Amino acid sequence: YAIDQKHQSVWIAQREGRAKDSNDRTQEALIKMLSLGKKGDLLDSIRELNIAPVAISYEYDPCDSLKAYEFLQKSKNPDFKKSQRDDLVNMQTGIMGYKGIINYGFTPCINDELAHLEGETDRAIILQSVCQIIDRHIHLNYRIYPCNYIAYDMLYKENRFANEYTPEQKENFEKYIQGQIAKLGEFSIEDYQFMQEKMLLMYSNPLKNQLAAKG
């Protein structure tokens, strides 16, 4: 109603909650739900939404160590669930915590790219394809920061992107990781390394996905 009749823009997240490992993927159920607003052809319903993907890139995720700690707990107890207090702490940290540079990458409407789906009758294929188009736009329009390049090289033990950051930036990022984990308490070497790896994964995934989107 807001889009089709009032001609207003509506912002909606691509999935339920933000990916813990920063591997952002559009949820098919979301596109399916939005397309239910109109009866008839699925592709026409999606076109009428005029979907324009937006990539939001945070230099730092204030909840990075909290997410890593949650990964650690789940590795030890698959049934682990955050308490209500934990959820509140995560929300407060996410809102108030330091994010560094924030970049919004706006992309064109995807309607023209849906032409290749004309005549497709399999709803599952249409929904999957729409999600892939949205994801590609988002991944291509990430802003990649020095910390993303550093995390990638540290995680995969490479110097592939050494020209994208200085030794000082790498040292500062390493200290940042250490400081974030230190806020949570003391850990064994194994637990510390586990959380460090998860944090490096979070920061390297945007770059990894952008590289894949570029082909």
Side-chain angles (χ1 to χ4, degrees):
Y1 170 74
I3 294 170
D4 189 38
Q5 296 185 42
K6 296 181 71 177
H7 303 292
Q8 292 181 347
S9 295
V10 175
W11 182 89
I12 187 166
Q14 69 183 131
R15 60 178 292 146
E16 182 183 358
R18 191 164 178 87
K20 300 288 185 187
D21 58 0
S22 299
N23 186 19
D24 297 318
R25 302 286 171 178
T26 303
Q27 200 166 20
E28 285 186 31
L30 172 66
I31 306 302
K32 182 178 180 180
M33 178 192 72
L34 292 174
S35 68
L36 295 176
K38 279 212 168 188
K39 294 182 180 179
D41 184 77
L42 173 61
L43 199 55
D44 285 342
S45 296
I46 292 173
R47 280 199 189 98
E48 289 183 4
L49 295 171
N50 295 317
I51 296 173
V54 180
I56 306 175
S57 308
Y58 297 99
E59 185 178 14
Y60 293 98
D61 180 353
C63 293
D64 48 20
S65 60
L66 298 176
K67 293 175 181 177
Y69 182 72
E70 186 177 345
F71 276 121
L72 176 65
Q73 295 304 310
K74 286 185 176 180
S75 72
K76 297 182 176 183
N77 176 16
D79 296 324
F80 171 80
K81 290 184 179 180
K82 289 188 298 182
S83 66
Q84 187 175 17
R85 183 180 180 280
D86 289 335
D87 276 331
L88 290 172
V89 170
N90 275 260
M91 288 174 60
Q92 181 183 27
T93 304
I95 294 172
M96 305 297 292
Y98 178 70
K99 302 177 183 68
I101 300 170
I102 302 173
N103 186 79
Y104 288 79
F106 295 89
T107 75
C109 175
I110 67 171
N111 283 356
D112 289 345
E113 296 180 62
L114 301 178
H116 75 283
L117 294 172
E118 286 287 355
E120 180 60 64
T121 57
D122 191 323
R123 294 175 65 87
I125 291 177
I126 293 174
L127 291 170
Q128 185 181 45
S129 297
V130 171
C131 289
Q132 289 173 347
I133 291 170
I134 294 172
D135 289 346
R136 182 172 178 274
H137 275 285
I138 291 175
H139 295 162
L140 285 174
N141 282 276
Y142 281 144
R143 176 171 176 177
I144 303 301
Y145 302 102
C147 58
N148 301 120
Y149 292 114
I150 295 167
Y152 186 101
D153 280 354
M154 288 179 65
L155 181 64
Y156 297 104
K157 296 178 173 57
E158 299 178 0
N159 290 309
R160 180 178 177 182
F161 298 106
N163 291 332
E164 301 293 341
Y165 54 86
T166 65
E168 183 181 8
Q169 287 174 320
K170 183 177 181 181
E171 182 181 352
N172 288 339
F173 181 68
E174 290 175 335
K175 288 180 179 178
Y176 169 81
I177 294 288
Q178 294 168 5
Q180 288 293 92
I181 296 177
K183 292 178 183 178
L184 303 176
E186 295 185 3
F187 299 93
S188 66
I189 295 176
E190 292 78 11
D191 287 352
Y192 178 90
Q193 290 175 339
F194 179 92
M195 287 193 289
Q196 181 187 51
E197 183 174 319
K198 289 299 181 183
M199 291 179 69
L200 293 177
L201 182 66
M202 292 174 206
Y203 283 100
S204 63
N205 269 339
L207 172 59
K208 187 177 179 181
N209 285 335
Q210 188 175 90
L211 294 171
K214 288 180 177 178

